[in-house]
Amino acid sequence: MLLYEELARARMREAEEQARHRRLVCRLVAGRRWARLARYASVRAERASARL
């Protein structure tokens, strides 16, 4: 029985590590997306102010 419990714990630890990795990747992707949107907004704001 202990072997099965240890295997179950190992699978749980592995699943938690994968979930942690996925969250990190999602945060990095979101950060890049927001940075790209900020650059786009900045360029548009500069163009709009240049037209005034």
Side-chain angles (χ1 to χ4, degrees), residues 1 3 8 13 18 25 49:
M1 206 51 151
L3 177 63
R13 282 191 299 269
Q18 289 176 351
V25 168
S49 65

Side-chain angles (χ1 to χ4, degrees), residues 1-2 4 6 9-10 12 15-16 18-22 24 26 28 30-32 36 39-41 45 48 50 52:
M1 206 51 151
L2 291 176
Y4 294 116
E6 185 58 36
R9 286 188 190 105
M12 285 174 35
E16 288 170 358
Q18 289 176 351
R20 194 174 9 263
H21 182 261
R22 272 186 248 122
L24 177 61
C26 286
L28 290 172
R32 290 178 185 163
R36 188 168 43 239
R39 282 193 305 271
Y40 171 77
L52 296 178

